[in-house]
Amino acid sequence: MLNLRYFKDQNKNCYTLPSFEDTKYLIRVGFYYGNYDRLSKPPVFDLQVDGNTWVTVVSLIDEPVYYEVIYIARGDVISICLARMRANEFPFISSLEAVPLSDGMYQSLSSDYAYLTSYRYHFGEDGSIGYHVDDPYNRVLRELAGNLDSMVDAMNITLSPVEGSDSSSMINAIEIYTASDMLNVIGTYEVDVEGLANITKGFEKLKGWPGEPCLPANTIWEWLNCSGGDFVRLKYRYLSGYGLEGTLPDFSQMQALQVIRDLHDNHLTGTIPDFLGKLPNPRTLNNNDDDDMEVAPREVPQLVYAQPVPRV
């Protein structure tokens, strides 16, 4: 935990973890501020999983902070994002783990919810914190501080020997989870995400934008505008001032796209792609007079050029 990565350039930054659909995962994220910036101001920011707010991270100056979730993957990747929520308080991360769990574990969990770790205690005597050597899932165990009987009574837990046993009840460890609010399990429409992937791969300056683009609604990617409904769709793109170089890639699958607003202050080349004329909705394209892009060909009759306008 002596190293960290911090993020100053975007409203949210994401990691994309490979996963198997419908598999349960234990995801653990660690944060150790350690006053790395010498400001003595541990930041507060949001942690998100697949477009759902997981928890608000409250970091500490000189102690590590961990957050865990049991989560069912809804596809072949899981998006873990750090979102800036306060001015001049920049998210950071020290560690990220994702461990697949066996089907028989946490059987009451459904894909509509996640389990947030509240407690995980062992009842040893050495005061240690760490992994149990026989646990293949790397679950962190802490020594219980306080009286076991009071915890059991407060949670209405009954420990009883089986009928006919000559031994008293015993317990080695305990896990307690809190169910999350109902999750948004749909996310941004898949074909729109594929189109965005073509765009971010096509421009070096946009490759730092992985993860869920439109959710949660308060942390949409800065250069997008999305709409709700049965599926979250991309409607607008704002790409002014990103220093993009090259030609526009193919994003013809983004059928809900209405406006490519403001391409000024980039260095785009080539022609306006023909596929823009085949998208079903009206479009506006604001181009930069200094760019080397040629005007729209005859195959793009619906394309309307407009002067730069402020974001809406």
Side-chain angles (χ1 to χ4, degrees):
M1 296 287 284
L2 297 180
N3 298 314
L4 61 80
R5 182 182 182 186
Y6 63 89
F7 304 93
K8 288 189 174 182
D9 296 333
Q10 299 165 190
N11 63 332
K12 71 175 177 181
N13 294 266
C14 303
Y15 290 90
T16 301
L17 307 179
S19 62
F20 295 99
E21 187 174 0
D22 296 328
T23 297
K24 299 186 191 81
Y25 285 85
L26 167 62
I27 302 172
R28 181 187 301 113
V29 190
F31 306 92
Y32 180 53
Y33 172 62
N35 200 25
Y36 77 91
D37 53 7
R38 300 185 179 182
L39 297 177
S40 297
K41 188 178 181 181
V44 175
F45 50 92
D46 275 1
L47 185 59
Q48 303 167 353
V49 55
D50 280 344
N52 295 277
T53 299
W54 169 356
V55 68
T56 296
V57 175
V58 180
S59 59
L60 303 175
I61 285 185
D62 55 2
E63 293 183 28
V65 176
Y66 295 93
Y67 295 92
E68 291 185 353
V69 65
I70 306 294
Y71 180 75
I72 298 177
R74 66 189 189 198
D76 58 3
V77 296
I78 298 174
S79 173
I80 303 295
C81 298
L82 311 168
R84 185 172 69 241
M85 307 306 295
R86 299 180 182 180
N88 298 318
E89 293 195 21
F90 302 109
F92 71 94
I93 188 170
S94 301
S95 64
L96 174 59
E97 304 170 70
V99 182
L101 304 174
S102 66
D103 292 339
M105 301 176 67
Y106 310 104
Q107 294 187 31
S108 61
L109 179 64
S110 73
S111 59
D112 292 328
Y113 297 90
Y115 283 169
L116 312 177
T117 305
S118 295
Y119 308 98
R120 187 184 294 115
Y121 294 121
H122 71 84
F123 304 108
E125 298 179 355
D126 60 0
S128 62
I129 299 175
Y131 307 107
H132 192 282
V133 293
D134 295 326
D135 182 10
Y137 305 107
N138 296 334
R139 287 170 291 188
V140 175
L141 298 167
R142 298 175 179 270
E143 184 185 21
L144 176 64
N147 185 276
L148 171 61
D149 292 335
S150 61
M151 171 182 278
V152 169
D153 291 341
M155 297 181 180
N156 196 25
I157 299 173
T158 301
L159 302 175
S160 302
V162 298
E163 185 176 354
S165 174
D166 295 329
S167 302
S168 60
S169 302
M170 62 177 294
I171 185 170
N172 298 94
I174 188 170
E175 288 183 297
I176 301 171
Y177 290 90
T178 301
S180 70
D181 294 333
M182 182 172 286
L183 302 176
N184 184 322
V185 297
I186 297 177
T188 304
Y189 196 49
E190 184 175 357
V191 294
D192 288 352
V193 174
E194 292 172 356
L196 270 182
N198 290 343
I199 295 170
T200 56
K201 291 176 183 176
F203 295 115
E204 186 68 28
K205 295 293 183 66
L206 297 180
K207 288 184 177 179
W209 292 88
E212 167 57 54
C214 292
L215 297 172
N218 62 337
T219 56
I220 296 172
W221 288 5
E222 295 168 352
W223 47 281
L224 299 178
N225 184 292
C226 306
S227 68
D230 292 337
F231 295 95
V232 179
R233 301 302 305 269
L234 294 169
K235 292 296 184 70
Y236 296 78
R237 292 214 325 257
Y238 312 90
L239 289 171
S240 173
Y242 280 88
L244 306 182
E245 298 180 354
T247 60
L248 285 176
D250 185 352
F251 48 88
S252 56
Q253 61 268 69
M254 300 173 69
Q255 294 290 299
L257 189 65
Q258 295 179 359
V259 175
I260 307 171
R261 178 164 288 175
D262 204 348
L263 293 175
H264 287 70
D265 299 321
N266 294 298
H267 305 285
L268 302 176
T269 58
T271 61
I272 303 295
D274 293 353
F275 68 79
L276 287 178
K278 301 176 183 178
L279 297 177
N281 298 303
R283 286 159 304 286
T284 300
L285 176 67
N286 295 322
N287 195 21
N288 190 346
D289 293 337
D290 295 331
D291 285 343
D292 294 325
M293 293 184 68
E294 299 177 13
V295 298
R298 294 180 182 274
E299 290 79 3
V300 195
Q302 304 99 312
L303 194 64
V304 178
Y305 286 93
Q307 295 301 314
V309 292
R311 295 188 182 188
V312 295

